[in-house]
Amino acid sequence: MTKKNSRRSFIKRATLTSAVLGTSPYILTASNNEIIALKRSYGNTVYSANDHINIALIGSGIQGIYDTQSALKVDGVKLVAVCDLYTGRLERAKELWGDHLFVTRDYRELLELKDIDAVLIATPDHWHQTIAVAALKAGKHVYCEKPMVQNFNEGQEIIKAQKLSGKICQIGSQGMSSLGNEKAKELYEDGAIGDIVMLDMYNDRYSAEGAWQYPIPTDADPKTIDFDTFLGKAPKVPFEPTRFFRWRNYKEYGTGVAGDLFVHAFSTLNYVISSNGPSRALATGGLRYWKDGRNVPDVSITLYDYPKTNTHSPFNAAFRINFIAGSGGGGGFKLIGTEGEMEIGQNSVTVNRSKLNLVPSGYSMISFTEEMQKNIQKEYAAQENDRKSQLTTGKTTWQAPNDYKGAHYDHFNNFFTSIRTGGKTIQDPKFGLRAAGAALLANESYYKRQPVNWDPENMKLI
């Protein structure tokens, strides 16, 4: 960490009075379970019909609908068109948003519409790069769901297309813009946990839906689904609705648990500690329970090495996914440092600091004489009294208010604000590729059955 971010500045703040604490969200007290409110203020601009940002949705599945619902909560945004390869989803789009919508099964028709300012891409992963590049070349702003790419070599094309177009491109890892992430970044940079030594991330699930066994509509057939277009660049196979509606279960169309879940964690981690990503990965796992035709694991464990940079010490990261967690499910994302730990969620951040015990106990001194034990205790007591790092300890939680609009809203608000102002998005294509690339290392290592090395600066395999 830099001198600016040293724990000395944090300790200084942490020893301020409780009266000051009420007005400063940066500091910790020695009391346990203190809760400090986070705040978010939004503008109250009213836009005329002529000043709306017209959007189109490409891929009106589960995530596409949730994306659109969040996008439409932002002032001055209007949905005008929807594209999907299943006619039932086009009918559902009109149920949700009105018969006025232009609907099509060909995204190219949608990109030709002059009144569309931005597109939301929520297709299967293997279509992300093709459609994102085409949309940018068509002069549309792009919100592309994570992971930005299915393969490492696809990212540079999106970066290049975005730069040439001059349009805004936001990658859709929705937790990125959350109050929790923002506060975690401030706390980390202020030295709240000292030097990071480990990241612990896990996501346990215990349901068929959580394991991507999504329902298949009764009218699914070659007439209602454009299956050949869905396959795209993937190997040609006969019509199979399971592949269409449960595409996450197949490496030909998705990116497994790494691209679906690891990438969220990498987005948050790289943002909070200002990192470009890991340099090495080692993955293991397997298909333990959901043997329903899928060819991706339902249990995955990956270990990552992060190199030393000017924003963080070298550390290790452990990512674990279990789709058959008999415990019932749950998840966590925890940064562990030399002087504390920080658990990060979209709506809250909890920092827990404990005092490092440097004084030997009776266990390690049992072989010494009584006199020697007393001498050793005196030495350690003197060192402890002279130690300048007398840290405040305890647990403090920063919590979003009940009326917080949420991380998904904030991510779209950032996207649309960037379009209106020409500002910078929080997750541009370079950031998106670094997050996706780190996640995809897990797949690379798993299928090769060996460690893999990654250049986080140049975003390529070594």
Side-chain angles (χ1 to χ4, degrees):
M1 300 178 70
T2 64
K3 290 182 179 179
K4 176 184 177 183
N5 303 328
S6 70
R7 67 174 181 42
R8 179 174 298 176
S9 65
F10 180 82
I11 295 167
K12 183 177 179 180
R13 290 183 177 87
T15 58
L16 297 178
T17 65
S18 59
V20 177
L21 178 69
T23 60
S24 174
Y26 294 86
I27 51 183
L28 297 175
T29 66
S31 63
N32 280 314
N33 301 318
E34 179 165 8
I35 298 177
I36 301 174
L38 293 174
K39 295 181 180 179
R40 170 83 80 212
S41 60
Y42 301 97
N44 196 23
T45 306
V46 177
Y47 296 97
S48 67
N50 292 331
D51 198 27
H52 277 76
I53 294 175
N54 290 337
I55 64 171
L57 171 62
I58 303 176
S60 191
I62 300 168
Q63 190 60 38
I65 289 176
Y66 281 113
D67 278 346
T68 303
Q69 288 176 334
S70 293
L72 292 177
K73 292 177 182 178
V74 180
D75 292 336
V77 176
K78 180 181 179 182
L79 179 69
V80 297
V82 173
C83 172
D84 199 276
L85 299 178
Y86 168 50
T87 56
R89 287 178 177 160
L90 298 180
E91 294 167 3
R92 175 59 172 160
K94 290 192 173 185
E95 279 185 352
L96 289 170
W97 300 302
D99 290 331
H100 68 281
L101 290 177
F102 173 85
V103 295
T104 179
R105 296 207 300 187
D106 188 341
Y107 76 90
R108 293 168 298 184
E109 289 185 1
L110 186 149
L111 295 182
E112 292 175 355
L113 299 178
K114 302 300 182 183
D115 62 337
I116 292 176
D117 302 302
V119 297
L120 279 53
I121 301 172
T123 64
D125 300 345
H126 71 310
W127 271 103
H128 284 182
Q129 187 242 29
T130 298
I131 298 177
V133 170
L136 289 166
K137 288 182 177 179
K140 314 299 184 186
H141 302 286
V142 168
Y143 181 101
C144 180
E145 261 301 325
K146 57 77 200 165
M148 187 178 83
V149 292
Q150 186 190 32
N151 298 304
F152 300 105
N153 57 6
E154 296 175 329
Q156 294 298 334
E157 283 299 309
I158 298 179
I159 293 171
K160 179 181 177 182
Q162 187 272 323
K163 185 176 181 180
L164 289 175
S165 70
K167 297 298 180 180
I168 299 297
C169 182
Q170 174 96 301
I171 307 306
S173 185
Q174 58 265 23
M176 270 292 296
S177 300
S178 67
L179 274 172
N181 270 15
E182 286 186 8
K183 180 50 57 184
K185 184 177 181 68
E186 291 178 6
L187 289 166
Y188 170 78
E189 291 180 350
D190 212 28
I193 61 170
D195 291 326
I196 183 173
V197 294
M198 186 176 178
L199 177 282
D200 185 21
M201 175 270 182
Y202 73 98
N203 188 313
D204 288 341
R205 296 182 175 185
Y206 199 53
S207 71
E209 188 175 74
W212 304 331
Q213 273 203 342
Y214 301 141
I216 298 173
T218 56
D219 67 347
D221 61 36
K223 292 182 179 179
T224 60
I225 298 171
D226 185 349
F227 191 71
D228 287 339
T229 297
F230 159 75
L231 292 176
K233 60 187 177 183
K236 302 302 179 184
V237 296
F239 176 77
E240 188 178 337
T242 302
R243 287 178 176 264
F244 184 86
F245 290 101
R246 299 177 182 174
W247 58 266
R248 294 186 188 279
N249 292 329
Y250 302 90
K251 62 183 179 180
E252 292 85 355
Y253 325 117
T255 48
V257 296
D260 190 50
L261 300 173
F262 283 14
V263 71
H264 283 303
F266 276 115
S267 296
T268 289
L269 176 60
N270 291 350
Y271 171 75
V272 169
I273 67 174
S274 300
S275 177
N276 285 338
S279 57
R280 187 173 181 268
L282 174 62
T284 187
L287 186 55
R288 309 304 184 197
Y289 183 84
W290 299 103
K291 298 176 182 179
D292 50 8
R294 70 182 67 195
N295 56 21
V296 296
D298 55 11
V299 173
S300 178
I301 304 169
T302 306
L303 304 178
Y304 290 91
D305 295 338
Y306 267 71
K308 176 180 174 57
T309 71
N310 62 356
T311 64
H312 60 77
S313 56
F315 69 96
N316 300 97
F319 286 67
R320 175 173 62 81
I321 304 293
N322 184 0
F323 277 3
I324 187 61
S327 60
F333 182 96
K334 186 181 294 184
L335 296 181
I336 302 166
T338 55
E339 295 172 358
E341 66 179 24
M342 182 180 346
E343 188 153 8
I344 305 171
Q346 294 184 10
N347 296 335
S348 67
V349 180
T350 297
V351 174
N352 192 7
R353 294 163 63 86
S354 302
K355 185 178 179 181
L356 177 64
N357 186 6
L358 299 175
V359 180
S361 66
Y363 171 80
S364 61
M365 293 203 294
I366 194 170
S367 63
F368 302 138
T369 65
E370 294 291 333
E371 183 178 358
M372 180 57 69
Q373 289 184 39
K374 291 178 181 178
N375 291 336
I376 291 174
Q377 287 172 343
K378 286 181 181 179
E379 281 189 23
Y380 275 95
Q383 293 173 9
E384 190 72 4
N385 289 332
D386 290 339
R387 188 171 179 242
K388 294 182 179 179
S389 56
Q390 295 292 330
L391 306 177
T392 52
T393 60
K395 180 185 289 187
T396 305
T397 298
W398 285 261
Q399 181 71 50
N402 292 333
D403 60 352
Y404 175 44
K405 294 185 177 182
H408 211 165
Y409 173 93
D410 281 348
H411 208 48
F412 274 109
N413 190 44
N414 174 252
F415 175 56
F416 295 124
T417 299
S418 298
I419 291 175
R420 292 186 182 279
T421 65
K424 185 178 181 180
T425 59
I426 196 169
Q427 195 169 18
D428 64 15
K430 279 189 177 180
F431 191 105
L433 178 55
R434 287 195 165 103
L440 294 177
L441 292 176
N443 292 340
E444 190 80 4
S445 175
Y446 176 79
Y447 291 114
K448 285 186 174 181
R449 298 179 178 272
Q450 65 183 37
V452 292
N453 296 311
W454 173 254
D455 180 349
E457 300 297 325
N458 297 304
M459 298 171 284
K460 61 182 182 181
L461 288 170
I462 299 175

